[in-house]
């Protein structure tokens, strides 16, 4: 094993330019693909944190009596998926509006009557925070007596969910393209090395060397290229994350969301993917070379 490793390192040093190009290509592919993954990871955390705070506002019809309000509250409590219910009177809602419009309170001073309705603020359990379940609960609540309107930001939820699905699709597509391009470049690099050493390989075959004996150092070379490229790509991503991460943490501190880097297991998987990329490049190149 030591002999094969030395042989692989020797080949890398003798063909520095070709191997550096391959390593840089793998590093850039790992960087771009991992950046997509890191963005998606933290965006998913933000979306999950937001979903935990989803509220459905249930506005009561004008003239709703106390008995009707209590009946509506009881009916809401019987609906599965609702975690808590809090009543907001029209007077409290007006005071809350004034507090949020401190610089425009003069607009509300001349109102003869409170135009806001009584309402219930409904908090959902985490399991019911998917867009489909929220829509189902909203429709069910809207059908209750004394309920005039239900509001929960459906348009925003749908847009964000569609953006996530589109982002996943784009990420998978770009990942597949970079993966194939990197394998192609690694294969061409190994192929050029093989052609530069074809006379030496031919002599080794004449003296009885097996194909496995000839191929194994190249497989190790591909693994070293993939590992080196993966380490460089992850190192670049971590440096960028460390440089700009603190700025995002300050922005998101009020939302109780902390951005995070990949776990050790995920980093190991990314490095493994880089090594597999280099290995596959060697495999396809050697397969074609042996046929020739």
């Amino acid at each position: 094993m030591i002999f094969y490793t030395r042989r692989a390192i020797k080949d890398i040093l003798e063909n520095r330019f070709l191997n550096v190009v391959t390593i840089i290509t793998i590093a850039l592919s790992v960087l771009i693909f991992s950046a997509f993954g890191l963005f998606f990871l933290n965006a998913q955390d933000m979306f999950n944190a937001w979903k935990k705070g989803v509220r459905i506002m249930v506005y009561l019809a004008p003239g709703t009596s106390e008995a009707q309000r209590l009946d509506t509250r009881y009916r809401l409590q019987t609906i599965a998926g609702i975690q808590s219910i809090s009543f907001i009177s029209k007077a409290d809602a007006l005071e809350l509006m004034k507090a949020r419009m401190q610089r425009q309170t003069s607009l509300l001073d001349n109102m003869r009557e409170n135009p806001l309705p009584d309402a219930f603020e409904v908090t959902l359990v985490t399991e019911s925070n998917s867009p489909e379940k929220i829509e189902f609960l909203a429709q069910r609540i809207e059908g209750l007596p004394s309920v005039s309107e239900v509001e929960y930001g459906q348009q925003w939820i749908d847009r964000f969910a569609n953006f996530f699905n589109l982002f996943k699709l784009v990420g998978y597509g770009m990942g597949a393209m970079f993966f194939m391009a990197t394998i192609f470049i690694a294969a061409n690099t190994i192929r050029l090395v093989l052609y530069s050493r074809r006379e030496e390989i031919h002599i080794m075959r004449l003296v009885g060397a097996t194909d496995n004996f000839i191929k194994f150092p190249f497989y190790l070379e591909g693994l070293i290229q993939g590992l080196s490229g993966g380490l460089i790509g992850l190192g670049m991503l971590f440096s960028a994350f460390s440089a700009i991460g603190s700025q995002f943490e300050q922005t998101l501190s009020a939302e109780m969301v902390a951005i995070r880097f990949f776990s050790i297991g995920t980093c190991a998987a990314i490095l493994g993917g880089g090594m597999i990329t280099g290995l596959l490049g060697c495999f396809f190149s050697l397969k074609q070379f042996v046929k020739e």
Side-chain angles (χ1 to χ4, degrees):
M1 188 65 183
I2 297 177
F3 168 77
Y4 291 125
T5 304
R6 289 177 178 175
R7 184 64 176 275
I9 295 174
K10 180 181 177 182
D11 288 341
I12 291 175
L13 294 176
E14 289 179 351
N15 300 274
R16 292 185 183 88
F17 178 76
L18 294 175
N19 286 283
V20 167
V21 170
T22 303
I23 290 173
I24 291 176
T25 303
I26 294 175
L28 291 176
S29 300
V30 169
L31 173 63
I32 295 173
F33 183 75
S34 300
F36 265 90
L38 187 62
F39 174 79
F40 176 75
L41 175 68
N42 287 282
Q44 184 70 53
D45 288 345
M46 291 176 59
F47 190 44
N48 291 336
W50 177 84
K51 287 198 300 182
K52 292 179 181 178
V54 169
R55 303 286 192 273
I56 293 180
M57 295 303 301
V58 182
Y59 299 107
L60 301 179
T64 300
S65 65
E66 181 69 13
Q68 290 173 325
R69 181 178 67 81
L70 293 175
D71 178 68
T72 302
R73 185 185 185 95
Y74 173 77
R75 290 174 183 267
L76 288 173
Q77 290 174 340
T78 61
I79 297 177
I82 293 179
Q83 184 176 18
S84 63
I85 304 168
S86 60
F87 176 69
I88 302 176
S89 67
K90 56 194 308 184
D92 293 337
L94 183 60
E95 292 300 322
L96 181 61
M97 179 180 290
K98 289 181 178 179
R100 292 180 177 177
M101 299 174 59
Q102 294 180 0
R103 297 183 180 181
Q104 293 86 22
T105 52
S106 58
L107 300 175
L108 306 175
D109 293 338
N110 297 325
M111 288 192 309
R112 296 182 179 180
E113 60 180 21
N114 187 347
L116 301 177
D118 293 329
F120 286 108
E121 185 180 60
V122 176
T123 304
L124 306 180
V125 297
T126 304
E127 293 77 10
S128 300
N129 281 336
S130 66
E132 296 80 9
K133 292 182 178 179
I134 295 174
E135 172 66 16
F136 173 76
L137 288 174
Q139 291 179 356
R140 187 173 177 184
I141 294 172
E142 199 167 14
L144 296 178
S146 303
V147 174
S148 64
E149 187 180 356
V150 174
E151 184 180 284
Y152 63 94
Q154 176 185 4
Q155 188 177 16
W156 190 92
I157 294 175
D158 291 341
R159 287 181 178 178
F160 200 86
N162 291 335
F163 167 77
F164 250 70
N165 293 331
L166 178 62
F167 182 79
K168 285 182 181 179
L169 183 61
V170 172
Y172 291 148
M174 291 191 65
M177 290 175 58
F178 277 109
F179 182 71
M180 291 186 292
T182 305
I183 290 177
F184 177 77
I185 293 175
N188 283 332
T189 300
I190 297 297
R191 187 178 294 112
L192 290 173
V193 174
L194 287 170
Y195 278 118
S196 67
R197 295 180 50 196
R198 60 182 180 274
E199 293 184 0
E200 177 185 349
I201 294 174
H202 181 66
I203 294 173
M204 292 174 66
R205 281 179 170 173
L206 291 176
V207 298
T210 63
D211 286 343
N212 290 333
F213 180 84
I214 297 172
K215 292 178 180 178
F216 198 72
F218 292 103
Y219 285 131
L220 285 178
E221 186 174 338
L223 289 174
I224 293 172
Q225 289 175 345
L227 178 62
S228 301
L231 287 172
I232 293 173
L234 275 179
M236 294 170 64
L237 181 63
F238 183 76
S239 299
F241 174 83
S242 301
I244 66 178
S246 58
Q247 300 178 8
F248 283 98
E249 284 182 352
Q250 294 175 1
T251 305
L252 298 174
S253 59
E255 303 294 335
M256 302 299 291
V257 178
I259 62 173
R260 58 191 175 109
F261 196 71
F262 293 122
S263 64
I264 296 178
T266 304
C267 290
I270 293 173
L271 293 177
M275 295 172 69
I276 291 174
T277 301
L279 190 63
L280 288 175
C282 291
F283 172 78
F284 290 119
S285 180
L286 289 168
K287 185 177 181 179
Q288 182 178 356
F289 183 81
V290 170
K291 289 182 179 180
E292 297 175 357

